[in-house]
Amino acid sequence: MGNSPGLQEIENKMPSLLKWSSLPLAGMVSELKFPVPWGHIAAKAWGSPQGRPVLCLHGWLDNANTFNRLIPLLPKDYYYMAMDFGGHGLSSHRPAGFPYHFLDYVSEIRRVTAGEQAGRTRRAGSFFSCIFPEMVDKLILVESYGFFPAPQESDAWLNSKRKVIESLLSLEENKHQPPKVRSPQEALQRLLQANSHLTEESGRILLQRGATEVPGGLVYNRDMRALTHNQDSLALEQCVSFLNKIQASVLMIIAQDGIFNPEAENMSRYFVKPLREAFQSNLKHFEFAEVTGNHFVHLNEPEVVVGLINIFLKRDQSSKAKL
């Protein structure tokens, strides 16, 4: 994977306006870049490459720093690599003229992986586990049911696609406008307002990788096209049938006050129950755990989930996984 800078070099390259919010990390940390036709996929890794590999995938509009507080608490004999999806964190933006499709993220996982691996992932990792089942030894889903099925009503589906197209065209019309520069505090407050589940400390951690220092303040790194959230058009029945392809042992951790809270007003209600039942009935090795906390429990309160993850990772280590 090439030469990787040490922790001190990484900290030296951080925007100086954000260094005050950095956290100490245990063990060796390195920065990686994987070349792709449109630029590169950025990643950061903890531990020795000789350790058992765990690929860590962030959620929508987050970045690899979402694992900063969790990974130092995990077993030290693993090699943890967290990638920034295209258009997020320090990864290159996709070519002009195209929205971000969910399968784009799945293809990026394949570009940076080789051989079998153990994985701690979110939704893209579940889809990857169905398409490349032989490459995944273990799958850990935190605040994810693996899939986000298309709306059941045809009008809702059509409206969602219309919004994606119109948003893309609107962004292209304004592409020559310079990115908005915000003070560090303004950038943080805007992030917290858009993500009510983030604590202030967690917001600062994400901004370390999600913003770049420029004269006058910070600009967000993410590609605005990623905001269109272009879902793939999979029916609930298709998602359920895909689960039969997963060969990995699966651990699903859901937060009591997360985005799948029964009282939350969102579209997830119609698929939560059938997907959980499908995981339970179709997989040989499936574990479900409900914990206190919200959608960012792994970042806000990693101690809540670390015990579950440690036990799951340590169980049956006979796999010869490698990255």
Side-chain angles (χ1 to χ4, degrees), residues 253-271:
I253 301 175
I254 300 297
Q256 293 176 355
D257 297 318
I259 60 174
F260 301 106
N261 183 335
E263 299 179 359
E265 293 295 331
N266 56 52
M267 295 174 55
S268 68
R269 293 181 180 179
Y270 76 91
F271 67 76

Side-chain angles (χ1 to χ4, degrees), residues 210-260:
T212 296
E213 183 178 1
V214 297
L218 303 174
V219 296
Y220 292 133
N221 292 339
R222 68 189 179 209
D223 190 334
M224 292 298 292
R225 289 173 295 169
L227 293 169
T228 58
H229 206 184
N230 193 15
Q231 301 289 343
D232 288 282
S233 304
L234 295 174
L236 175 59
E237 293 75 15
Q238 289 177 297
C239 298
V240 169
S241 66
F242 289 165
L243 289 176
N244 290 314
K245 300 296 183 181
I246 295 179
Q247 299 176 10
S249 299
V250 178
L251 169 63
M252 180 183 291
I253 301 175
I254 300 297
Q256 293 176 355
D257 297 318
I259 60 174
F260 301 106

Side-chain angles (χ1 to χ4, degrees), residues 164-185:
V164 168
I165 295 172
E166 290 182 338
S167 295
L168 176 63
L169 295 177
S170 177
L171 288 171
E172 288 178 350
E173 289 178 0
N174 298 317
K175 65 180 180 180
H176 297 299
Q177 294 184 1
K180 185 173 179 57
V181 179
R182 297 179 173 88
S183 70
Q185 192 60 31

Side-chain angles (χ1 to χ4, degrees), residues 14-321:
M14 285 182 182
S16 59
L17 294 172
L18 293 174
K19 286 182 181 178
W20 53 275
S21 64
S22 66
L23 294 173
L25 296 176
M28 181 177 66
V29 182
S30 56
E31 286 286 334
L32 309 170
K33 282 188 177 182
F34 298 89
V36 292
W38 61 91
H40 69 269
I41 297 296
K44 64 188 302 183
W46 290 258
S48 168
Q50 282 68 51
R52 288 171 53 83
V54 179
L55 180 63
C56 307
L57 308 176
H58 64 78
W60 181 50
L61 301 182
D62 297 338
N63 58 62
N65 272 15
T66 194
F67 301 101
N68 270 21
R69 300 187 67 208
L70 173 64
I71 289 177
L73 303 178
L74 297 179
K76 301 298 186 281
D77 53 337
Y78 286 75
Y79 179 60
Y80 303 94
M81 186 175 74
M83 58 183 284
D84 292 325
F85 284 125
H88 295 71
L90 303 180
S91 287
S92 300
H93 294 185
R94 285 269 173 167
F98 297 92
Y100 284 79
H101 293 274
F102 178 64
L103 271 177
D104 292 337
Y105 303 135
V106 178
S107 68
E108 289 172 2
I109 299 173
R110 184 63 186 90
R111 288 178 182 274
V112 303
T113 58
E116 298 180 10
Q117 67 194 32
R120 180 266 179 241
T121 65
R122 290 201 176 207
R123 191 163 59 87
S126 184
F127 212 163
F128 182 87
S129 299
C130 296
I131 299 174
F132 301 98
E134 75 284 359
M135 296 184 65
V136 184
D137 177 38
K138 295 184 179 182
L139 175 66
I140 305 176
L141 301 169
V142 178
E143 270 289 281
S144 171
Y145 276 86
F147 300 91
F148 201 102
Q152 293 178 306
E153 297 180 358
S154 58
D155 285 347
W157 185 90
L158 292 170
N159 287 336
S160 69
K161 298 305 176 185
R162 175 172 179 154
K163 289 180 179 179
V164 168
I165 295 172
E166 290 182 338
S167 295
L168 176 63
L169 295 177
S170 177
L171 288 171
E172 288 178 350
E173 289 178 0
N174 298 317
K175 65 180 180 180
H176 297 299
Q177 294 184 1
K180 185 173 179 57
V181 179
R182 297 179 173 88
S183 70
Q185 192 60 31
E186 289 172 339
L188 174 61
Q189 290 306 312
R190 181 173 177 81
L191 179 64
L192 297 178
Q193 290 170 4
N195 298 272
S196 61
H197 290 221
L198 280 174
T199 64
E200 184 169 323
E201 180 182 17
S202 295
R204 290 171 179 167
I205 293 172
L206 291 180
L207 271 185
Q208 290 174 7
R209 199 172 185 90
T212 296
E213 183 178 1
V214 297
L218 303 174
V219 296
Y220 292 133
N221 292 339
R222 68 189 179 209
D223 190 334
M224 292 298 292
R225 289 173 295 169
L227 293 169
T228 58
H229 206 184
N230 193 15
Q231 301 289 343
D232 288 282
S233 304
L234 295 174
L236 175 59
E237 293 75 15
Q238 289 177 297
C239 298
V240 169
S241 66
F242 289 165
L243 289 176
N244 290 314
K245 300 296 183 181
I246 295 179
Q247 299 176 10
S249 299
V250 178
L251 169 63
M252 180 183 291
I253 301 175
I254 300 297
Q256 293 176 355
D257 297 318
I259 60 174
F260 301 106
N261 183 335
E263 299 179 359
E265 293 295 331
N266 56 52
M267 295 174 55
S268 68
R269 293 181 180 179
Y270 76 91
F271 67 76
V272 165
K273 183 178 179 180
L275 280 182
R276 186 189 300 184
E277 291 177 347
F279 271 104
Q280 292 172 332
S281 60
N282 293 345
L283 302 183
K284 293 181 179 179
H285 304 286
F286 173 74
E287 300 175 44
F288 177 86
E290 187 175 74
V291 298
T292 58
N294 62 30
H295 185 58
F296 281 92
V297 62
H298 65 286
L299 178 59
N300 295 336
E301 303 171 286
E303 64 278 1
V304 173
V305 299
V306 69
L308 294 167
I309 295 175
N310 283 346
I311 293 173
F312 184 74
L313 287 177
K314 286 294 186 180
R315 185 180 300 141
D316 182 18
Q317 295 187 334
S318 61
S319 171
K320 296 181 181 180

